[in-house]
Amino acid sequence: GAVVSQHPSRVICKSGTSVKIECRSLDFQATTMFWYRQFPKQSLMLMATSNEGSKATYEQGVEKDKFLINHASLTLSTLTVTSAHPEDSSFYICSATRDRGNSPLHFGNGTRLTVT
Amino acid sequence: GQQLNQSPQSMFIQEGEDVSMNCTSSSIFNTWLWYKQEPGEGPVLLIALYKAGELTSNGRLTAQFGITRKDSFLNISASIPSDVGIYFCAGREWQGAQKLVFGQGTRLTINP
């Protein structure tokens, strides 16, 4: 089946630094990837839609200059949390779909970000 | 934005019991998906539904796409300890809309 790999699984950084999270589709080309954020005991909140070769589409309330998304190839999207603050601490999850149709989304294993 | 109403929010059951949870929406969906998430991991796809009325099974799991296209349910039969986790419904509102709307999740706890 489809596999989405996310790296790193955990990261601890100091306030003010930037952190990059990678999302790779391992056995298929993903024209579209999605980045979600999840707070403890809550559901997944869509942050942005990442389209290969074009600018990401951000959901309302998500700062595009804070959460930089780059989808440079059909198998890789990156999320960079810039100038991280403790309130950015969360579980970030990427997902990818094989095509633009009705294929299910497959999720990575998530990245636990802790900003100290 | 669109929200899915998932219930119940939590369930505490005995091993061997059957489980039922459901999701409803205020608008028509063209795809319903059910995921399971365990602590510290991403959601894993359990069942995908594409047609109104569709009933699909995956082992002890059965899910249905409601005929009104505004609801879906997931049943788990003869629960076992490894069924513990959070179950999320998710849906797509229209053909070609790839992003998913998620329910609030159902936290399943099983007493052995």
Side-chain angles (χ1 to χ4, degrees), chain A residues 53-69:
Chain A
S54 64
K55 291 183 179 180
T57 304
Y58 290 83
E59 296 298 301
Q60 191 173 9
V62 178
E63 300 175 59
K64 63 179 181 180
D65 295 329
K66 173 76 171 176
F67 299 99
L68 299 179
I69 292 173

Side-chain angles (χ1 to χ4, degrees), chain A residues 8 16 25 32 73 77 109 114:
Chain A
S25 56
T32 304
S73 77
S77 175
N109 267 338
T114 303

Side-chain angles (χ1 to χ4, degrees), chain B residues 54-105:
Chain B
E54 180 180 355
L55 182 71
T56 298
S57 294
N58 177 8
R60 294 178 295 105
L61 279 61
T62 301
Q64 184 160 31
F65 192 142
I67 57 173
T68 66
R69 302 176 70 181
K70 292 184 178 181
D71 64 308
S72 177
F73 72 74
L74 173 71
N75 288 342
I76 305 172
S77 63
S79 59
I80 59 177
S82 60
D83 291 333
V84 166
I86 303 176
Y87 293 80
F88 289 100
C89 64
R92 287 195 178 105
E93 290 184 85
W94 49 275
Q95 184 74 27
Q98 294 176 298
K99 65 180 182 180
L100 294 181
V101 177
F102 277 84
Q104 302 96 324

Side-chain angles (χ1 to χ4, degrees), chain B residues 12-89:
Chain B
F12 299 85
I13 64 169
Q14 296 294 124
E15 182 178 353
E17 290 185 4
D18 296 343
V19 172
S20 183
M21 61 192 77
N22 68 82
C23 268
T24 60
S25 69
S26 57
S27 60
I28 291 174
F29 276 52
N30 80 324
T31 304
W32 284 95
L33 304 169
W34 285 92
Y35 290 88
K36 179 187 177 186
Q37 185 180 30
E38 299 192 16
E41 298 183 7
V44 174
L45 179 68
L46 299 174
I47 293 178
L49 302 162
Y50 299 102
K51 297 180 181 178
E54 180 180 355
L55 182 71
T56 298
S57 294
N58 177 8
R60 294 178 295 105
L61 279 61
T62 301
Q64 184 160 31
F65 192 142
I67 57 173
T68 66
R69 302 176 70 181
K70 292 184 178 181
D71 64 308
S72 177
F73 72 74
L74 173 71
N75 288 342
I76 305 172
S77 63
S79 59
I80 59 177
S82 60
D83 291 333
V84 166
I86 303 176
Y87 293 80
F88 289 100
C89 64

Side-chain angles (χ1 to χ4, degrees), chain A residues 4 8-9 27 64 66 71 74 82 98 102 107 109 114:
Chain A
V4 176
S9 57
D27 61 353
K64 63 179 181 180
K66 173 76 171 176
H71 194 155
L74 285 171
T82 63
R98 187 184 299 269
N102 251 351
F107 287 84
N109 267 338
T114 303

Side-chain angles (χ1 to χ4, degrees), chain A residues 32-79:
Chain A
T32 304
M33 292 184 175
F34 301 89
W35 288 95
Y36 289 82
R37 183 174 181 176
Q38 186 178 32
F39 291 104
K41 297 187 178 181
Q42 293 190 21
S43 188
L44 286 75
M45 181 191 78
L46 180 65
M47 299 175 66
T49 301
S50 171
N51 299 297
E52 188 268 335
S54 64
K55 291 183 179 180
T57 304
Y58 290 83
E59 296 298 301
Q60 191 173 9
V62 178
E63 300 175 59
K64 63 179 181 180
D65 295 329
K66 173 76 171 176
F67 299 99
L68 299 179
I69 292 173
N70 185 285
H71 194 155
S73 77
L74 285 171
T75 59
L76 173 64
S77 175
T78 60
L79 169 68

